[in-house]
Amino acid sequence: MYFHAGLILFVIAVSFGVAKALKLSVELSMLVAALAAAIVHSGGAIPVRHLVEGSFTYLDVCLIFITATFFMNLIKESGGVAFLVRGIVKAFHKSRVLCLFFLTLLLLIPGALTGSGATTVLTVGTLVGTVLTYMGISEKRVAAIIFVCAAMSAAAPPVNLWAMMAAAGSNMPYVGFFIPLLVLSLAGSLFAMFFLGGKGKKVELDEALKELPEPPAKMNWIRVGMPFVVLIFLIMAGRIWPHSIPTLGLPFMFVVASIFAIILSPKKLEILRIASDTINTLIPLVGIMIVVGILIQIMALSGARGLISLAVVTLPMWVLFAALWLILPVSEGLLQYAVAPLLGVPLILLFNMKGMDAIIALSAMAVMWPVGDILPPTAVVGRATVMELKFKGHYYRDFLKTSLIPMGFILLIATLFLIFSNELSFLVGG
């Protein structure tokens, strides 16, 4: 049994490595690894049923991706994002602290709603980066700020995909994560913003406004804010009136909010084009979710997943506390979201068995993982940041090096949350 499971892990590792060496994408490399493992396990046959079942494992998560990103793209196309950025600059250009604070909150919104840091970079990254540049912040610090805040936006509630996937794999309801995730992501993003951008000058208002796109004349706070109000109301209604409101689901909530965004838009939106662009943008992300489901299904079928779980749960706790801050980001850089069910599930079961608060522990890990989105070979959010901002410096020597201290701070506080999970259990809420 152990030999067979070990053989499957070896096949997966070798197949993935060969596929990457042949310049295949991460998604295709993982699919090749899953197919090779399935064939070896089945003695030459392809277990089609398990491949199909695995591809539907995270269907609900993919629907959240698509509907949430479509909603944010509608807000952006209607001029809402530009209106918000210009409004923050106009209102707080005389106060550097307040301007940086509200820009941080704005950076957290897209990823918090979609679960994707890349969405934050693509929707508000360039606009916020322009403002930061006119506040006297260097190019490499601007890029580092945008990345760290984008990573923390992906970790922020209500949609944290790592926590959702690990919770689903361990039969744990995704409830009670809001406050722990909010505290960690907000602390990390604010530290990055003020550590890297605290010193400088006030916004050069006229120059900044010239660079920022002009929203439609009829755009106002009601038009841009009402879709978010509707979304928040739908999310909170089920908790306020749990026995009176049917379970709507996040995808349906985002669809309703999108309808309000379309109705309230001051200009006619090209809905089909926006929807098409949304799907095209999300193909790699949805693709990797499908492939992750297939890979996890095959690993569970062959016993490889159980072998990894056994290896994890037999490690001494002090080893985990000392190493997870490094293991989790690096594994995210290698496999992206696949690490949540692969490593997250056995870790949660272990922590729960040891009497730790599983929600706080998973929240801490779910904030460590997105930090690795700057690391190769995937570096999804890191690459999106340098491309969107047209960063001219060296990726490792300038961009990654500048991001290290904020990343280290995030990993430190997340590790402390992990160690003192029981003492912090008062943070667990709805």
Side-chain angles (χ1 to χ4, degrees), residues 4-5 8-10 12-13 30 33-35 37-38 41 47 50-51 291-309 335 338-339 341-343:
H4 181 75
I8 296 300
L9 285 177
F10 177 77
I12 290 173
M30 292 174 66
L35 289 174
H41 171 72
H50 288 282
L51 297 179
V291 174
V292 164
I294 295 173
L295 181 62
I296 297 301
Q297 180 84 3
I298 298 301
M299 291 181 69
L301 175 68
S302 62
R305 184 178 179 182
L307 185 60
I308 292 176
S309 300
L335 297 174
V339 298
L342 192 60
L343 294 179

Side-chain angles (χ1 to χ4, degrees), residues 295-424:
L295 181 62
I296 297 301
Q297 180 84 3
I298 298 301
M299 291 181 69
L301 175 68
S302 62
R305 184 178 179 182
L307 185 60
I308 292 176
S309 300
L310 180 63
V312 169
V313 299
T314 54
L315 287 174
M317 293 298 291
W318 67 268
V319 173
L320 290 175
F321 290 149
L324 280 182
W325 67 272
L326 182 61
I327 293 173
L328 297 184
V330 171
S331 62
E332 171 70 14
L334 287 170
L335 297 174
Q336 291 187 295
Y337 294 100
V339 298
L342 192 60
L343 294 179
V345 172
L347 284 170
I348 285 304
L349 296 176
L350 172 63
F351 293 150
N352 187 59
M353 182 179 66
K354 294 291 185 179
M356 297 170 56
D357 190 298
I359 294 177
I360 297 294
L362 181 52
S363 297
M365 293 191 296
V367 172
M368 291 190 203
W369 273 311
V371 172
D373 280 330
I374 196 175
L375 301 176
T378 56
V380 174
V381 182
R383 287 185 299 172
T385 300
V386 297
M387 288 189 293
E388 188 70 11
L389 297 180
K390 296 180 175 60
F391 181 71
K392 298 180 178 63
H394 191 274
Y395 187 93
Y396 298 102
R397 188 171 55 249
D398 298 323
F399 176 48
L400 177 57
K401 183 179 179 181
T402 305
S403 305
L404 285 179
I405 293 181
M407 289 165 58
F409 174 80
I410 293 166
L411 295 173
L412 174 61
I413 60 173
T415 301
L416 292 175
F417 263 60
L418 196 61
I419 296 172
F420 300 103
S421 62
N422 286 335
E423 289 79 2
L424 295 169

